[in-house]
Amino acid sequence: MAAPKKGRRSPGGQGRPGRTLVLIMIAMAALVGGMFASGTSTPRLGIDLAGGTSFTLQARNQPGKPNAINETNMKTAAGIMERRVNGLGVSEAEVQTQGTNHIVVNIPKGTDAKQARQQVGTTAQLAFRPVLTAAAGTKTPSATPTPSPSASSGKKDDGKKGDDKKDGEKAEGKPSATPSASSTTQGRAVTSALKKGPSETPSASGSPSAEPSGSPSPQPSTGADEIPAALQKQLADLDCSTEKSRSQASEKAANAKPTDQVVSCKEDGTQKYALGPVAVEGTDVKDASAVFEAQSGQGWIVQMDFTGAGGKKFADVTGKLAAKAQPQNQFAIVLDGQTISAPSVSKAIPGGQATISGGFTQQSAEDLANMLSYGALPLSFKIADETTVTAALGGEQLEAGLIAGAIGLALVVVYLVAYYRGLALVALASLGVSAVLTYTIMTLLGPAIGFALNLPAVCGAIVAIGITADSFIVYFERIRDEIREGRTLRPAVERGWPRARRTILVSDFVSFLAAFVLFIVTVGKVKGFAFTLGLTTLLDVVVVFFFTKPLMTLLARRKFFANGHPWSGLDPKRLGAKPPLRRRRTTAPTETKEA
């Protein structure tokens, strides 16, 4: 059979192999350039290679639920914790149960351990409690007024910006309405039982004004006489200025019953609150997300969606709070006994949706949304142990794995050179292209999707060397078979390609299917192996189709390969080729004249 006619494009780039090679080189250059432009030149490493932080959390029964620690609740808590860790943008984190009442969380290096501890370790029931009164966080509060959150309904304020945005956090919900424009202060509503600290009273415009220094007497807030004296004393004695005191107060509040009144510190210790019974449970929050609101100028906000029952509860409690004076029109979002936010309300918020806004940064908005989304757990936990994981053992294992991979690659190279001779250059060049693509893509996937290279992933990359080399061998053997049939190199390259292509696709499809199933059904580090195996399998198809085949087409036009040089690996004599196939020439029969 004659070679295809010139100008006819065949699979694999026979028509214009040079253009195909140029395209894949441009793609490689773009990936490498993007890698350096992103400022990341090495893949992100998992906890077994780079080290990290390990938390051991001990489960505790909730008040009124003495038998809550069971296998079902532990698995549910572990699942929620894993989603919360992923909400931090952490990949390759391990969350697993240990024994009957412990959960171990391993977070790779590069993640803020303090932030992770706050998000993962603080895992009690999330709750919304009405604020009965509030004061500065110390026993002797400063007279400096501190802005408190303000509240209104509506996801967008009706054009009122400026001062409103500086008033703190605002809780908004649908439908939209005009938010309050007055400034408020936490610490102005202190009951007469609070003997220490200056009071702050609002001016006629609603802005706070501090009384002169000296011996100021606290001013009671509206409804302050409804607060029990014991709770007033607890609030007066509460000191939120140190982390230890805040932790003790949070633990005490977390162990209280939902129907109890409690005192609580704000996260940063600047405020303390006396809180009423739980009005809305954390399980009533369906979803929460951080959104940048550019049109209204509010900046970063947190949007909440409640369940059907939760929306009704939230509308009821906000309606009651809106009728009260500051700070009793506030509701506290309490997680593990600590107040993470305390927005105020100007009117009832129906519809099952609300928005918290006011002075958020992107990080603080995302943190609050993450806690609202995944804060409700069937159990409460305390951090029983926290250790720093070193990468010494993982480094030794990585070194051993890389040595094993180098030895395997060297053996493959020796085999290719000894058996295929000149064709080994094609195989080595293809392996090099595959290595560059794999490295750059894994490096770029680190900041893009949080991919982290762990030991199983390294194993997957080593296994891929054999898969890639196998594809080259299949194609080379098809070409050699065609030469054994008596064909020259150029038609042999084109005739062998369709058969090799079919075999390569089937083989890679089976490998990719195995990797896909493994990725879906497994957990933990095995996912890294499956992901790398699937990625390198796809890249094998790309390299064979867009590099190996066009390169062979070009080399078939060079005398060294086309004439079957003994060192080309395509010598017809060494391959035991049949005589060359030639077209039979047919001539018209000659007529003989009879004498």
Side-chain angles (χ1 to χ4, degrees):
M1 180 179 292
K5 294 181 180 180
K6 292 183 179 181
R8 180 184 300 173
R9 183 179 296 275
S10 64
Q14 178 196 4
R16 296 177 179 177
R19 176 177 294 183
T20 306
L21 289 175
V22 169
L23 288 176
I24 194 170
M25 291 301 175
I26 292 175
M28 289 175 58
L31 287 173
V32 174
M35 180 181 70
F36 285 106
S38 66
T40 305
S41 58
T42 56
R44 184 183 178 192
L45 300 180
I47 190 171
D48 52 357
L49 299 180
T53 304
S54 178
F55 301 97
T56 300
L57 305 173
Q58 183 179 356
R60 301 178 297 179
N61 284 313
Q62 291 282 6
K65 299 178 181 178
N67 301 318
I69 300 178
N70 53 55
E71 183 179 0
T72 300
N73 284 344
M74 289 294 290
K75 288 183 177 180
T76 301
I80 294 175
M81 285 185 191
E82 186 171 10
R83 291 196 297 272
R84 294 185 68 183
V85 172
N86 291 334
L88 293 172
V90 179
S91 182
E92 292 298 323
E94 297 177 357
V95 180
Q96 55 189 353
T97 58
Q98 186 179 77
T100 58
N101 64 338
H102 288 86
I103 292 179
V104 178
V105 181
N106 295 323
I107 301 176
K109 185 179 179 181
T111 302
D112 188 341
K114 182 178 180 181
Q115 182 190 15
R117 182 168 58 252
Q118 292 174 345
Q119 292 263 348
V120 180
T122 310
T123 51
Q125 287 281 2
L126 181 73
F128 294 77
R129 289 176 177 266
V131 175
L132 302 180
T133 189
T138 58
K139 284 188 177 181
T140 307
S142 170
T144 304
T146 304
S148 78
S150 60
S152 67
S153 61
K155 278 196 171 182
K156 297 181 180 179
D157 55 20
D158 296 339
K160 293 192 178 183
K161 305 177 186 177
D163 294 339
D164 292 350
K165 188 177 178 182
K166 299 177 183 178
D167 286 341
E169 299 167 349
K170 292 176 279 185
E172 305 175 355
K174 294 179 178 179
S176 64
T178 304
S180 172
S182 61
S183 301
T184 58
T185 60
Q186 290 182 9
R188 87 165 67 130
V190 183
T191 65
S192 57
L194 301 179
K195 301 299 183 183
K196 297 182 180 181
S199 66
E200 297 169 355
T201 56
S203 64
S205 64
S207 300
S209 59
E211 290 184 0
S213 59
S215 303
S217 59
Q219 299 295 325
S221 66
T222 304
D225 53 343
E226 301 174 0
I227 304 174
L231 187 66
Q232 295 175 0
K233 186 176 186 307
Q234 290 181 36
L235 185 65
D237 294 339
L238 180 60
D239 183 6
C240 300
S241 59
T242 65
E243 185 173 350
K244 181 178 180 180
S245 61
R246 290 196 298 270
S247 177
Q248 292 174 346
S250 299
E251 184 173 0
K252 185 176 180 180
N255 292 328
K257 297 180 180 179
T259 55
D260 291 346
Q261 295 177 334
V262 298
V263 292
S264 173
C265 294
K266 196 174 182 180
E267 276 186 307
D268 57 7
T270 58
Q271 296 292 312
K272 56 184 178 180
Y273 305 92
L275 306 176
V278 174
V280 182
E281 298 283 352
T283 51
D284 293 322
V285 179
K286 183 167 59 175
D287 190 24
S289 58
V291 179
F292 185 77
E293 182 60 61
Q295 294 182 352
S296 62
Q298 297 181 63
W300 284 97
I301 61 175
V302 177
Q303 294 181 346
M304 292 187 296
D305 290 329
F306 292 90
T307 61
K312 294 178 181 178
K313 292 188 213 176
F314 191 72
D316 181 60
V317 68
T318 53
K320 293 178 180 178
L321 293 177
K324 298 182 179 181
Q326 184 77 15
Q328 292 188 332
N329 65 339
Q330 294 177 241
F331 64 87
I333 303 173
V334 183
L335 185 64
D336 198 20
Q338 189 174 69
T339 300
I340 59 176
S341 182
S344 58
V345 183
S346 62
K347 64 181 299 183
I349 304 177
Q353 291 182 317
T355 300
I356 304 174
S357 64
F360 280 118
T361 63
Q362 179 178 359
Q363 187 64 55
S364 61
E366 290 176 349
D367 286 348
L368 178 57
N370 195 32
M371 286 190 247
L372 290 171
S373 296
Y374 308 119
L377 290 176
L379 300 168
S380 62
F381 290 84
K382 67 176 181 180
I383 297 180
D385 183 46
E386 178 183 347
T387 58
T388 299
V389 181
T390 63
L393 180 60
E396 294 176 359
Q397 293 176 338
L398 176 62
E399 183 179 357
L402 293 177
I403 292 175
I407 293 174
L409 180 60
L411 292 175
V412 170
V413 171
V414 170
Y415 170 78
L416 291 173
V417 172
Y419 191 74
Y420 288 108
R421 302 194 176 189
L423 286 178
L425 297 176
V426 180
L428 294 178
S430 300
L431 282 173
V433 170
S434 179
V436 171
L437 290 175
T438 301
Y439 183 85
T440 54
I441 290 176
M442 287 195 301
T443 301
L444 291 172
L445 289 178
I449 64 173
F451 171 75
L453 188 67
N454 56 17
L455 281 174
V458 173
C459 294
I462 294 174
V463 170
I465 296 174
I467 295 176
T468 306
D470 183 61
S471 299
F472 307 150
I473 291 173
V474 168
Y475 185 30
F476 293 162
E477 287 302 318
R478 289 296 186 186
I479 295 174
R480 288 155 71 103
D481 286 343
E482 294 296 331
I483 293 176
R484 291 187 184 99
E485 293 295 326
R487 294 180 177 84
T488 58
L489 181 58
R490 291 184 68 174
V493 167
E494 305 308 326
R495 284 182 58 86
W497 171 243
R499 299 179 183 180
R501 177 181 61 197
R502 191 178 306 114
T503 304
I504 292 170
L505 288 175
V506 171
S507 175
D508 284 344
F509 175 75
V510 172
S511 297
F512 182 79
L513 184 62
F516 178 77
V517 173
L518 196 63
F519 184 84
I520 294 298
V521 302
T522 57
V523 295
K525 295 182 179 180
V526 182
K527 283 184 177 289
F529 173 83
F531 182 85
T532 307
L533 182 61
L535 174 64
T536 51
T537 301
L538 291 177
L539 290 178
D540 175 51
V541 175
V542 173
V543 171
V544 171
F545 273 70
F546 295 96
F547 183 81
T548 307
K549 170 57 176 62
L551 184 60
M552 278 302 305
T553 300
L554 290 178
L555 293 179
R557 301 172 185 176
R558 301 295 182 266
K559 291 182 179 180
F560 179 80
F561 289 95
N563 294 338
H565 190 280
W567 282 97
S568 67
L570 299 168
D571 184 6
K573 293 181 180 180
R574 293 177 63 90
L575 296 176
K578 297 178 182 179
L581 296 176
R582 300 181 183 275
R583 287 185 177 180
R584 295 181 179 179
R585 294 181 179 179
T586 57
T587 58
T590 58
E591 297 181 359
T592 57
K593 295 181 180 180
E594 295 182 358

